[in-house]
Amino acid sequence: MLIEVKELEKIYTDGTETPALRGVSFSINHGEFVAVMGPSGSGKSTLLHILGFLDRHSKGEYYFEGKTIDDYSKEELAHVRNEKMGFVFQTFNLLPRTSVLENVKLPLLYSKIKESQWNHLAKEAIEAVGLSHRLHHQPSQLSGGEQQRVAIARALVNKPQMIFADEPTGNLDSKSGQVIMKILQKLNEEDGHTIILITHETYTAENAKRIIRLHDGEIESDKMVDHRRKADHFAK
């Protein structure tokens, strides 16, 4: 088992207490593609931040690879986050006056991988998202969909076990969004990556194999997708 949470709670305190997660429990195995779905304010991004070691829960238990988050030192948390997890957000967060290749290489600066391997790994990740022909372009020379593909390549460059994708199609038109979902499906089915997708759209969530629905910080349902949207491989 990769992830297990038991009665997870998150309470924000700013003068008053605001619960964001209320007793959430579930598990995720290696190689799953899970969509966490819910309206704005349902707690889905808060959950992603906790699962990705970007924030701490208030109560309950979170196990990653059999260890609770409290078993990890700050250095170990940083190592796991950089080596085993990749993150893709709604905003692309690319350096504006930096090439695609250099943007994708950024996570390697904080890795133990030899610098002599950086170019090869970055080019491999860029090829995986079909952008080898854009290697030396800057973000301003790319479409929104291409920029998000660069962000996915950057998330892949360390060869992580799992990818967290927080509303990855939120700033894209439907055609570009479909390309992004095809890439995520391919990474899951062919390369075995565990994918955790955060979305408020049913159409997007149905690209996953399983949907956890949140409402007001609680799990409303947790079901396998009956009629999954099957994405064909995108043309490079």
Side-chain angles (χ1 to χ4, degrees), residues 13-32:
T13 54
D14 185 17
T16 59
E17 290 192 349
T18 305
L21 294 174
R22 308 166 186 257
V24 170
S25 299
F26 62 87
S27 61
I28 294 175
N29 292 314
H30 289 275
E32 283 202 74

Side-chain angles (χ1 to χ4, degrees), residues 95-109:
L95 296 181
R97 289 178 290 279
T98 307
S99 70
V100 166
L101 180 63
E102 295 302 317
N103 265 289
V104 172
K105 282 163 61 174
L106 280 174
L108 298 172
L109 293 171

Side-chain angles (χ1 to χ4, degrees), residues 217-228:
E218 298 179 317
I219 292 182
E220 194 173 56
S221 64
D222 182 352
K223 297 179 179 178
M224 302 304 291
V225 177
D226 291 330
H227 303 290
R228 186 186 183 206

Side-chain angles (χ1 to χ4, degrees), residues 133-146:
H133 60 299
R134 299 283 197 220
L135 211 61
H136 302 294
H137 287 62
Q138 294 184 359
S140 61
Q141 299 172 298
L142 306 177
S143 67
E146 287 174 327

Side-chain angles (χ1 to χ4, degrees), residues 1-226:
M1 188 177 298
L2 183 60
I3 282 174
E4 185 176 15
V5 297
K6 297 180 179 179
E7 296 298 322
L8 205 68
E9 295 186 19
K10 178 64 179 179
I11 301 169
Y12 292 106
T13 54
D14 185 17
T16 59
E17 290 192 349
T18 305
L21 294 174
R22 308 166 186 257
V24 170
S25 299
F26 62 87
S27 61
I28 294 175
N29 292 314
H30 289 275
E32 283 202 74
F33 188 160
V34 181
V36 179
M37 186 184 168
S40 179
S42 61
K44 55 188 187 297
S45 289
T46 297
L47 179 60
L48 178 144
H49 289 159
I50 292 171
L51 297 181
F53 294 166
L54 300 172
D55 197 2
R56 290 266 185 171
H57 56 285
S58 304
K59 297 179 182 178
E61 298 172 274
Y62 171 27
Y63 295 89
F64 181 81
E65 294 187 325
K67 293 170 63 176
T68 72
I69 190 171
D70 297 323
D71 292 334
Y72 291 92
S73 67
K74 286 186 178 180
E75 292 75 18
E76 287 173 329
L77 287 176
H79 171 76
V80 170
R81 193 164 51 236
N82 192 51
E83 305 272 326
K84 298 188 177 183
M85 300 174 175
F87 296 88
V88 181
F89 297 101
Q90 183 173 348
T91 51
F92 316 128
N93 298 324
L94 302 177
L95 296 181
R97 289 178 290 279
T98 307
S99 70
V100 166
L101 180 63
E102 295 302 317
N103 265 289
V104 172
K105 282 163 61 174
L106 280 174
L108 298 172
L109 293 171
Y110 308 99
S111 73
K112 297 177 181 178
I113 298 170
K114 293 178 181 178
E115 189 173 353
S116 60
Q117 298 179 38
W118 290 2
N119 270 359
H120 170 72
L121 289 171
K123 288 177 180 178
E124 192 175 57
I126 292 165
E127 183 180 358
V129 299
L131 283 180
S132 294
H133 60 299
R134 299 283 197 220
L135 211 61
H136 302 294
H137 287 62
Q138 294 184 359
S140 61
Q141 299 172 298
L142 306 177
S143 67
E146 287 174 327
Q147 289 184 57
Q148 190 61 293
R149 284 154 71 180
V150 175
I152 292 175
R154 184 181 56 197
L156 289 175
V157 74
N158 274 339
K159 299 185 181 297
Q161 293 180 20
M162 61 189 308
I163 295 172
F164 293 100
D166 191 357
E167 300 280 7
T169 63
N171 285 336
L172 305 178
D173 60 64
S174 58
K175 185 177 180 180
S176 298
Q178 187 179 28
V179 170
I180 297 303
M181 295 316 303
K182 288 175 181 178
I183 292 172
L184 292 177
Q185 282 195 0
K186 178 179 180 291
L187 291 171
N188 173 247
E189 293 179 359
E190 294 188 13
D191 302 330
H193 290 282
T194 304
I195 310 284
I196 298 179
L197 168 72
I198 302 295
T199 183
H200 64 278
E201 301 170 331
T202 301
Y203 181 90
T204 302
E206 287 174 348
N207 285 273
K209 297 176 182 176
R210 172 184 168 197
I211 299 176
I212 297 173
R213 294 179 186 270
L214 290 181
H215 184 74
D216 290 340
E218 298 179 317
I219 292 182
E220 194 173 56
S221 64
D222 182 352
K223 297 179 179 178
M224 302 304 291
V225 177
D226 291 330

